């Protein structure tokens, strides 16, 4: 029986993903797929309420060309936010690789192997690991 994986974002220069189904018990595989999908879609989800004051009176700000995430402005507290504000992922970069990072974690790769594969420093690796 072959299990199809959701479309994972590619790692530049690395077309082969490890098979995490081999390492995980059967009852954890659906949760692993949900985690990977969540990390893939997280930066692009719309903001429904202000993470600072919980107000729903948000206004979409025009997205400057240099920013990759849509910004929203709260009319209640006068602060701006994006889909990652007030989350463990707020100040992390290279968001297009988070889902692929989770695949390697789930497959049981060591921190040294994953850091080398993604070109991460140990500080960045542990920041991503804490967030995931």
């Amino acid at each position: 029986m072959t299990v199809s994986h959701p479309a994972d974002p590619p790692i530049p220069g690395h077309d082969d993903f490890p098979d995490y189904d081999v390492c995980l018990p059967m009852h954890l595989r659906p949760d692993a797929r949900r985690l990977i999908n969540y990390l893939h879609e997280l930066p692009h989800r719309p903001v429904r309420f202000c993470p600072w004051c919980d107000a729903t009176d948000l206004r979409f700000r025009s997205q400057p060309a240099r920013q990759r995430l849509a910004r929203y402005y709260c009319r209640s507290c006068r602060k701006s936010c994006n889909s990652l504000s007030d989350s463990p992922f707020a100040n992390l970069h290279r968001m297009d690789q988070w889902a692929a990072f989770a695949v390697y974690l789930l497959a049981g790769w060591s921190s040294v192997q994953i850091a080398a594969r993604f070109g991460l420093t140990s500080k960045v690796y542990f920041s991503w690991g804490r967030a995931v």
Side-chain angles (χ1 to χ4, degrees), residues 7 40 42-43 68-69 77 79 82 91-92 102 112 121 123 128:
H40 185 62
L42 176 66
R68 297 189 302 173
L69 295 175
C77 68
K79 291 184 179 181
N82 62 33
N91 294 316
L92 301 181
V112 174
T121 64
K123 181 179 178 181
W128 284 17

Side-chain angles (χ1 to χ4, degrees), residues 44-102:
H44 310 292
R45 66 182 177 156
V47 177
R48 307 224 185 269
F49 62 91
C50 175
W52 316 119
C53 71
D54 293 330
T56 57
D57 191 17
L58 295 174
R59 183 180 60 176
F60 179 76
R61 290 178 115 176
S62 61
Q63 186 173 347
R66 64 181 182 84
Q67 290 181 341
R68 297 189 302 173
L69 295 175
R71 304 248 357 130
Y72 297 85
Y73 176 77
C74 177
R75 293 180 183 174
S76 298
C77 68
R78 296 183 172 171
K79 291 184 179 181
S80 66
C81 62
N82 62 33
S83 60
L84 303 177
S85 294
D86 199 33
S87 77
F89 299 94
N91 294 316
L92 301 181
H93 300 281
R94 296 168 61 179
M95 63 188 126
D96 54 322
Q97 295 183 0
W98 295 344
F101 176 79

Side-chain angles (χ1 to χ4, degrees), residues 4-67:
S4 63
H5 295 281
D8 295 317
I11 302 171
H14 302 95
D15 296 329
D16 55 331
F17 279 106
D19 187 12
Y20 61 86
D21 280 344
V22 175
C23 301
L24 290 177
M26 186 70 83
H27 69 281
L28 292 179
R29 292 175 187 170
D31 292 333
R33 286 188 200 96
R34 279 194 294 275
L35 171 67
I36 292 166
N37 285 335
Y38 174 76
L39 292 173
H40 185 62
E41 297 166 1
L42 176 66
H44 310 292
R45 66 182 177 156
V47 177
R48 307 224 185 269
F49 62 91
C50 175
W52 316 119
C53 71
D54 293 330
T56 57
D57 191 17
L58 295 174
R59 183 180 60 176
F60 179 76
R61 290 178 115 176
S62 61
Q63 186 173 347
R66 64 181 182 84
Q67 290 181 341

